Amino acid sequence: PPPDTIVLTLPARKNKIAFVVCTMVSGGGLRVQGIAGPKKGPKAVETTGKSPRFYPADDIPRPLHSRKKNAKPTKIRASIQPGTILILLAGRFRGKRVVFLKALESGLLLVSGPFKINGVPLRRVNQAYVIATSTTIDVSNVDASAINDDYFSREKSGESESEVEFFKGDAPKPAIVTDQRKVDQKRIDAALLKSVDAVPMLRGYLNAKFSLTKSDRPHTMVF
């Protein structure tokens, strides 16, 4: 610095040093020329928490959250294995006992009565609405590889219902069972019946409907 300049060292914040530059003036006084030291960071923009008054002029499309790319296969309970006897808890056949065949790609369970014993055809059920019992049979001879989720898709009818027919409130039309499904049902039931007949009293067990009375305690039962 020039001869008439004095530099003073002063303590600053957080162990940092600030320098004050002064010059001599007539009469023995000092004139402060400037202060050098640690610079303060930029202040954060204050937010009021309110949404803006105006929307942007152009709509910017944003992709919606989707789980299709990160879809993970449904985990089947350890108690449900091919050949396990299940008790249906909901739906048209609630209370019926069925045989579990395999798990489909959608996470649903493929089951069958067999149809000849208790009238339950090949169906898809959710594992949340079944009770897995400790009874199992051998289903290694049952070939259900050709049955998947597309097998149960309904065909759209070309006939459109008029407005008058819609408000009549007629009884719903019965579902049409295709010949291919009838053939598959007979083929799978034929293999299942051989395994069922190999276990004593199992045919009567599958035909019996599950129910609870007032004195039953489900939490103490072993299925």
Side-chain angles (χ1 to χ4, degrees), residues 138-151:
D138 183 18
V139 292
S140 58
N141 59 338
V142 180
D143 183 16
S145 59
I147 300 178
N148 50 22
D149 291 307
D150 297 335
Y151 182 84

Side-chain angles (χ1 to χ4, degrees), residues 18-210:
F19 301 96
V20 181
V21 181
C22 304
T23 56
M24 297 292 294
V25 296
S26 59
L30 296 175
R31 178 181 297 173
V32 178
Q33 297 291 335
I35 301 175
K39 297 181 180 180
K40 295 182 180 180
K43 293 184 178 180
V45 180
E46 297 182 0
T47 57
T48 59
K50 298 181 179 179
S51 58
R53 294 181 59 186
F54 302 100
Y55 292 99
D58 298 330
D59 293 334
I60 303 175
R62 297 181 179 179
L64 299 177
H65 177 68
S66 176
R67 297 181 179 179
K68 291 183 179 180
K69 295 182 180 179
N70 299 327
K72 296 181 179 179
T74 304
K75 185 177 180 181
I76 306 299
R77 300 203 305 259
S79 57
I80 302 177
Q81 298 295 330
T84 303
I85 306 299
L86 306 177
I87 301 174
L88 302 181
L89 301 178
R92 176 184 173 189
F93 300 100
R94 59 182 176 272
K96 296 282 189 176
R97 293 178 171 89
V98 294
V99 181
F100 169 62
L101 300 178
K102 69 173 185 177
L104 302 174
E105 293 183 0
S106 60
L108 300 178
L109 309 179
L110 178 64
V111 300
S112 181
F115 181 78
K116 190 174 182 180
I117 295 179
N118 52 23
V120 181
L122 287 169
R123 289 178 63 85
R124 296 179 299 174
V125 296
N126 194 318
Q127 63 174 339
Y129 302 106
V130 300
I131 296 177
T133 66
S134 58
T135 306
T136 58
I137 62 174
D138 183 18
V139 292
S140 58
N141 59 338
V142 180
D143 183 16
S145 59
I147 300 178
N148 50 22
D149 291 307
D150 297 335
Y151 182 84
F152 296 94
S153 60
R154 296 183 179 180
E155 297 180 358
K156 295 182 179 180
S157 59
E159 300 178 0
S160 59
E161 191 175 12
S162 63
E163 185 177 356
V164 177
E165 294 177 352
F166 177 79
F167 287 102
K168 277 185 178 180
D170 296 339
K173 299 179 181 179
I176 300 175
V177 181
T178 61
D179 296 336
Q180 180 63 36
R181 183 170 293 191
K182 293 179 181 179
V183 172
D184 294 336
Q185 184 72 57
K186 292 180 180 180
R187 177 177 55 83
I188 292 177
D189 282 0
L192 276 178
L193 290 175
K194 293 180 181 179
S195 300
V196 170
D197 293 336
V199 181
M201 302 178 66
L202 185 58
R203 184 182 282 261
Y205 176 72
L206 291 173
N207 193 23
K209 194 172 183 179
F210 174 78

